[in-house]
């Protein structure tokens, strides 16, 4: 079975600063990894995903994530935070062995952006 | 955006009453899921469906039942609501992209509905 750990339930940055949201996974087989964003009172939207191939994945709104197998990590970064990035972010994992497309989600990280 | 709607969007009910939440999709996706979202727990899978009339339990299925009589609709029922079922409920859909020689789902993402906020008094 796979699992996901998001380090830090709350992250606070200043506008223009680097955003780093941490995600570590556990899986006995190669994982498929996802980052979702949830704005207040909305559903989840996909930011980016890693399936196979290039380990540096670029997503929407200037976010990117790097799959590091040796560190079992898939951290989300953005060089310069905007006020509009304030939201909750979820990391999720599945594998080729996971039936019916089920995902396992992390507990979420709330990102606050200060002016 | 994927065409997924949830109804109602907000509901307040009393302990012991039955409640049904509806998820409707216009994407003809094969898989559908019900999650609940609670602070500190992320999203937890309640039930899922892999086809019409094909459903199975997720990690937090106690107290919930589901039905899927049509591809586009997936219903979640709380037979007798309890205060511990106060939560935000999300429906999601996905569709398998078959890989050569594999009957398992592909690596496509799930698309989420807008959520239903349920309060059980």
């Amino acid at each position: 079975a796979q699992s996901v750990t998001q380090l830090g339930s709350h992250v606070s940055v200043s506008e223009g600063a680097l955003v780093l949201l941490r995600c570590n996974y556990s899986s006995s087989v190669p994982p498929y990894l996802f980052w979702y964003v949830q704005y207040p009172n909305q559903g989840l939207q996909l930011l980016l995903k890693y399936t196979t191939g290039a380990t540096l994945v670029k997503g929407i709104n200037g976010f990117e994530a790097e799959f590091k197998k040796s560190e079992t990590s898939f951290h989300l970064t953005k060089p310069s935070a905007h006020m509009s990035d304030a939201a909750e972010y979820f990391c999720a994992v599945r594998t080729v062995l996971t039936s019916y497309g089920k995902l396992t989600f992390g507990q979420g990280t709330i990102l606050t952006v200060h002016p | 955006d994927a065409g997924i709607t949830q109804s109602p969007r907000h509901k307040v009910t009393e302990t012991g009453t039955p409640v049904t939440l509806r998820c409707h999709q216009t994407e003809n996706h094969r898989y559908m899921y019900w999650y609940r979202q609670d602070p500190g727990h992320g999203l937890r899978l309640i039930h899922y469906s892999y086809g019409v009339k094909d459903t199975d339990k997720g990690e937090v299925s106690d107290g919930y039942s589901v039905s899927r009589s049509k591809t586009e609709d997936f219903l979640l029922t709380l037979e007798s609501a309890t205060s511990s079922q106060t939560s935000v409920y999300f429906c999601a859909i996905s569709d398998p992209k078959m890989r050569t020689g594999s009957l398992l789902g592909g690596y496509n993402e799930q698309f989420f509905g807008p959520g239903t906020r349920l309060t059980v008094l």
Side-chain angles (χ1 to χ4, degrees):
Chain A
Q2 62 268 13
S3 66
V4 175
T5 301
Q6 291 184 238
L7 301 177
S9 58
H10 291 80
V11 170
S12 180
V13 301
S14 298
E15 193 172 19
L18 171 72
V19 176
L20 171 61
L21 304 183
R22 301 178 185 271
C23 172
N24 287 88
Y25 69 91
S26 173
S27 174
S28 58
V29 297
Y32 304 141
L33 295 156
F34 305 80
W35 274 101
Y36 283 85
V37 60
Q38 183 184 30
Y39 299 105
N41 300 313
Q42 295 186 24
L44 277 70
Q45 303 173 31
L46 183 71
L47 269 181
L48 48 79
K49 65 182 179 183
Y50 168 77
T51 54
T52 58
T55 56
L56 182 61
V57 180
K58 295 187 183 299
I60 62 173
N61 301 336
F63 284 93
E64 62 183 33
E66 186 171 11
F67 170 61
K68 292 187 177 180
K69 182 179 178 181
S70 61
E71 299 177 6
T72 62
S73 69
F74 190 56
H75 301 332
L76 182 70
T77 61
K78 182 174 180 177
S80 177
H82 295 171
M83 296 295 291
S84 60
D85 294 327
E88 189 163 15
Y89 293 80
F90 293 93
C91 183
V93 65
R94 67 178 295 262
T95 75
V96 69
L97 300 180
T98 308
S99 56
Y100 308 120
K102 292 180 289 181
L103 292 174
T104 299
F105 284 87
Q107 295 178 327
T109 298
I110 296 173
L111 176 66
T112 302
V113 182
H114 295 289
Chain B
D1 291 345
I4 312 170
T5 56
Q6 293 184 232
S7 60
R9 294 291 315 279
H10 302 270
K11 185 171 183 66
V12 179
T13 190
E14 294 188 351
T15 298
T17 60
V19 176
T20 295
L21 309 183
R22 180 184 185 231
C23 177
H24 179 78
Q25 59 141 331
T26 58
E27 304 298 318
N28 200 36
H29 279 25
R30 181 177 171 189
Y31 300 155
M32 298 185 75
Y33 315 84
W34 276 109
Y35 293 92
R36 60 177 290 171
Q37 182 180 19
D38 304 288
H41 292 276
L43 274 78
R44 294 180 290 176
L45 183 64
I46 304 172
H47 281 279
Y48 64 97
S49 170
Y50 47 94
V52 175
K53 297 186 180 180
D54 292 322
T55 65
D56 205 349
K57 297 178 180 180
E59 62 178 307
V60 291
S61 59
D62 287 349
Y64 302 94
S65 62
V66 292
S67 65
R68 191 172 179 196
S69 59
K70 300 184 289 184
T71 298
E72 57 266 34
D73 289 326
F74 192 32
L75 304 180
L76 176 70
T77 298
L78 291 66
E79 301 290 348
S80 178
T82 68
S83 59
S84 64
Q85 294 176 310
T86 292
S87 186
V88 181
Y89 291 86
F90 287 98
C91 173
I93 64 174
S94 73
D95 200 70
K97 290 178 172 57
M98 307 296 279
R99 301 183 71 184
T100 300
S102 171
L103 294 177
L104 298 175
Y107 37 70
N108 56 296
E109 63 267 27
Q110 292 185 13
F111 299 97
F112 283 80
T116 294
R117 184 173 297 275
L118 176 67
T119 302
V120 183
L121 301 176

